[in-house]
Amino acid sequence: MKEEVKVQNLIRKVATFDEMTNTAMKIIVDEYQQAVSARRSFLLELSGGRTPVKLYRLLHQKLLSTPLEFPIEFFIGDERYVPWEDSRSNNLLVRNNLLNNNQSLMACLHDFPTQLSRSEAAVVYAKELNELAPNGFDLAILGIGKDGHFASIFPGFADWESDEVTVVTETTENEVMERLSISPKYLFKAQKLLVLLAGQDKSPILDKLMDENLSKENFPAKFLLQHPNLEIIFSEEAAY
Ligand code: 6PG
């Protein structure tokens, strides 16, 4: 199947950012219900960035404001190498918008311990992931940057075949150069990948995903197209 047709079949285009958020929320609830049916915790990976913030607030309001039948374990998919209290930290973004700093929910938040050295933080989080999610996540929420990065896997990333669960990476084009990320291979263990793209400035990303002349080396998000259960929601309206 041509890449263009393949990608077009993966994309759900919606007019408004609210529609994107509500659609993503329904997907999360559906996937959560599957974990409940299996009588176990729901393993949810969270991305940083602006796009998912409204979804995180809605998730708190719709799902986390009442006791859950089975817990949700939240896993930060990538982190900026800054303290968790730093305004650029994904940990802070999730605590403020999804967990509302609720102590019992915060016990279910898992992240790179950035108070350690970067290599130690990668090792410690990999150990936690292997203990809590050895078979990967139930659902991974991802964004894509203009350079094609997802999580903190940036153009030029070379360890695609690494069996490591976490990787140390760098970026020169995005906020905070020193990064930590789940590895592409570990991410692929997830049952489902949900990519959220909002606004016309993200439209070129769709074109590049369809561009057969681009590879994962120069546009990392191309890698996501190989996942058997990938869904992309594109909102014409920008995130707010
Ligand atoms: C991060 C994210 C990153 C993000 C993209 C898109 O730490 O910044 O994990 O991968 O998803 O950069 O970000 P926006 O949603 O802000 O466009």
Side-chain angles (χ1 to χ4, degrees):
M1 179 187 290
K2 278 182 69 65
E3 197 92 315
E4 184 172 341
V5 173
K6 178 181 173 183
V7 175
Q8 282 169 346
N9 290 342
L10 296 170
I11 300 169
R12 191 182 326 197
K13 288 192 176 183
V14 295
T16 67
F17 185 57
D18 273 348
E19 199 176 344
M20 163 189 268
T21 303
N22 293 328
T23 303
M25 181 69 212
K26 188 182 178 312
I27 291 169
I28 293 173
V29 171
D30 290 350
E31 296 298 318
Y32 171 70
Q33 289 302 340
Q34 289 184 45
V36 168
S37 303
R39 319 300 297 160
R40 60 174 179 77
S41 299
F42 179 51
L43 308 178
L44 177 62
E45 179 274 349
L46 303 170
S47 108
R50 291 181 61 246
T51 306
V53 170
K54 194 170 168 77
L55 173 62
Y56 293 165
R57 291 175 184 163
L58 185 62
L59 181 54
H60 181 87
Q61 180 191 350
K62 295 274 188 190
L63 201 58
L64 303 178
S65 49
T66 56
L68 293 172
E69 188 176 4
F70 279 83
I72 301 176
E73 297 294 339
F74 300 99
F75 299 89
I76 299 281
D78 69 300
E79 196 49 282
R80 293 87 179 279
Y81 188 57
V82 293
W84 285 350
E85 294 314 316
D86 186 295
S87 62
R88 300 163 296 175
S89 164
N90 288 335
N91 191 288
L92 184 69
L93 180 140
V94 168
R95 277 185 286 125
N96 286 345
N97 293 285
L98 175 54
L99 307 185
N100 277 25
N101 296 295
N102 171 308
Q103 290 305 314
S104 62
L105 290 175
M106 295 217 309
C108 296
L109 176 62
H110 311 284
D111 190 8
F112 293 91
T114 54
Q115 70 277 19
L116 304 176
S117 74
R118 253 196 313 164
S119 55
E120 287 168 335
V123 168
V124 167
Y125 192 40
K127 186 172 181 299
E128 190 175 16
L129 287 164
N130 278 322
E131 285 168 4
L132 297 175
N135 301 311
F137 307 121
D138 291 307
L139 176 63
I141 297 171
L142 299 166
I144 300 176
K146 289 178 187 169
D147 61 0
H149 79 263
F150 62 90
S152 281
I153 306 299
F154 298 97
F157 178 77
D159 292 346
W160 294 97
E161 297 312 314
S162 166
D163 290 322
E164 294 299 330
V165 169
T166 59
V167 288
V168 173
T169 64
E170 281 79 32
T171 176
T172 55
E173 307 301 317
N174 299 273
E175 191 179 48
V176 182
M177 188 177 79
E178 294 183 306
R179 298 290 190 103
L180 288 151
S181 184
I182 53 176
S183 68
K185 222 172 198 180
Y186 177 77
L187 172 67
F188 254 47
K189 289 185 171 182
Q191 292 303 306
K192 183 178 181 72
L193 306 183
L194 174 59
V195 169
L196 303 179
L197 297 171
Q200 288 312 316
D201 69 331
K202 293 278 183 140
S203 181
I205 291 173
L206 299 180
D207 299 332
K208 290 181 176 175
L209 286 173
M210 297 180 206
D211 185 342
E212 298 193 349
N213 298 315
L214 290 177
S215 67
K216 63 178 183 292
E217 285 69 25
N218 48 42
F219 199 77
K222 293 282 280 187
F223 175 74
L224 302 176
L225 300 179
Q226 299 168 40
H227 193 277
N229 190 6
L230 166 67
E231 186 162 353
I232 301 171
I233 306 178
F234 175 77
S235 159
E236 302 287 347
E237 182 184 24
Y240 61 85

